[in-house]
Amino acid sequence: MASEETRTPTSTTVRTPAASGARTVRRAVPRTGATRAWRTRLLVVGIVLAALNLRPAITSLGALLEEVRDGLGMSGSVAGLLTSVPPLCFAVFGVTAPRLARRFGAGAVVCAGMVAIGAGLLIRPYVGGTAAFLATSALALMGIAVSNVLMPVIVKRWFPDRVGSMTGLYSMALALGTATAAAVTVPLTDALGGDWHSGLAVWAALAAAAVLPWLPFVRAREPEHDGERAGRDTPAEAPVRLRITRSRTAWALAVFFGLQATAAYITMGWMAQIFRDAGVPAGTAGLLLAVTMVMGVPLAFVIPRLATRLPHQGPIALALGVSGLVGYAGLYLAPAAGAWAWAVLLGIANCAFPLALTMVGMRARTGAGVAQLSAFAQSTGYLLSIPGPLLVGVLYQHSGGWGLPIALMAGLMIPQMIVGVLAGRDRTVEDEATTP
């Protein structure tokens, strides 16, 4: 199984006879199964807590954006730009993750990422000024970016025979963190006296809790089993060099990742407003958005497990795309009358994210390949997703309605389905991009 289940040597003292009498010898003996099981359980806890922290920095701000704008004197254009900062940071900082992991170890980088998230969330409400607020937000997003990229690598390294179930667990925790922050930030702020500073800063406590289980893995650069360094390459993997841009599979996965991210950020940013403009009360519109995000909690666990059992993941990508098309058609034709059904269908469509993460782990044979593919697919994908939410806002403003924006959302679902089929083919990037 994975490195946490292999026998790691420790030492004991034995007495052996010698010509001049007895002498002391330090002899290596394997660690007990209990130690290995404890480390494995701790890593699972670390993965879950890390995943819970990968979206509250975004959705908690969205819940209090009006209060933040008033408090900082932020213009509407700057507030609109703020919605594109997360994918930009994910693209810029995520590409550095494989290099950092090779130098320091994946466990150490994720631990540092949790520290960065906690520090950014704790500091940003109190810095004063829009520029400083953006800078501290970028600090938190930097921690999210490197952890985003390295989670599939860690799953591949430590749980190679359970990629589907562990990716599902991680994705489910990520969806739960997303939905929870969106749902409880406003009530939590009210409970803390109505101060938006406290309502944003409180999420730093969750990041601080996530640091603790990763501390034992900070030194995971040392050999774990068979000469492998956890989160680093084995000697057999080290010579493999990938020109990842030569891989059609890598490009298909990057575009798929970008299109699903576009749909997700449009949904988070605009869906509640679509319902409100259709006459749905504001409170109900917020609940509908929460339903859409909560759909990812159970499905994010089921979809990766199903994906790893299929030779081709394209049918899942098609099914999710069809769900999205029906949901967008409903938003156009009867947004208020069938609001709950459309929220559920779009929540199903948004589960393309855990499918993309699962395919990252399946489309490379080695940990080194997963690291490069994850960085390329996520960084390129997030770059592609930046214009989407802004373009929806422009179309809405100039057309005076939601017809054109919804047509754009539905139109983007077609290429997402096509590249999902291409990315789901049973092949690896090593077959397409390995150089001598």
Side-chain angles (χ1 to χ4, degrees), residues 59-110:
T59 51
S60 64
L61 176 60
L64 295 174
L65 184 58
E66 183 175 348
E67 289 79 3
V68 172
R69 285 182 58 188
D70 293 340
L72 296 178
M74 190 182 297
S75 68
S77 58
V78 173
L81 179 63
L82 194 59
T83 63
S84 294
V85 169
L88 177 62
C89 288
F90 293 165
V92 171
F93 296 121
V95 75
T96 67
R99 181 177 299 178
L100 293 172
R102 285 194 297 270
R103 180 165 184 176
F104 301 106
V109 176
V110 173

Side-chain angles (χ1 to χ4, degrees), residues 46-56 89-101 105-118 138-156 158 167 170-171 174 207 210-211 214 257 353 357 360 370-371 374-375 378-379 382:
I47 290 172
V48 170
L49 285 176
L52 287 171
N53 279 279
L54 297 184
R55 292 299 180 270
C89 288
F90 293 165
V92 171
F93 296 121
V95 75
T96 67
R99 181 177 299 178
L100 293 172
V109 176
V110 173
C111 186
M114 295 300 108
V115 172
I117 294 170
L139 174 62
L141 293 168
M142 177 177 65
I144 295 172
V146 295
S147 301
N148 271 338
V149 171
L150 292 180
M151 278 298 155
V153 180
I154 290 170
V155 168
K156 183 79 169 182
W158 272 278
T167 301
Y170 154 69
S171 301
L174 190 150
V211 173
W214 286 100
F257 200 99
F353 176 71
L357 288 180
V360 166
V370 171
S374 182
Q378 295 200 42
S379 295
Y382 281 125

Side-chain angles (χ1 to χ4, degrees), residues 211-307:
V211 173
L212 300 178
W214 286 100
L215 291 176
F217 299 96
V218 168
R219 298 186 61 190
R221 296 174 63 200
E222 298 182 1
E224 291 286 323
H225 72 296
D226 297 333
E228 181 174 356
R229 296 177 184 271
R232 303 183 72 184
D233 297 340
T234 63
E237 294 174 11
V240 177
R241 294 177 181 271
L242 298 177
R243 292 187 179 179
I244 202 74
T245 55
R246 290 186 174 182
S247 169
R248 293 181 180 180
T249 299
W251 277 108
L253 191 52
V255 176
F256 180 75
F257 200 99
L259 290 173
Q260 67 81 27
T262 299
Y265 281 104
I266 289 174
T267 298
M268 285 188 287
W270 294 107
M271 197 178 80
Q273 190 63 48
I274 294 174
F275 286 128
R276 292 183 67 176
D277 287 352
V280 176
T284 304
L287 287 176
L288 289 165
L289 179 58
V291 166
T292 298
M293 292 186 290
V294 165
M295 289 300 299
V297 176
L299 290 179
F301 187 72
V302 172
I303 288 175
R305 291 171 64 88
L306 177 61

Side-chain angles (χ1 to χ4, degrees), residues 334-363:
W340 294 99
W342 317 141
V344 169
L345 287 169
L346 291 175
I348 295 172
N350 278 350
C351 289
F353 176 71
L355 176 62
L357 288 180
T358 306
M359 290 195 292
V360 166
M362 298 179 68
R363 296 286 86 87

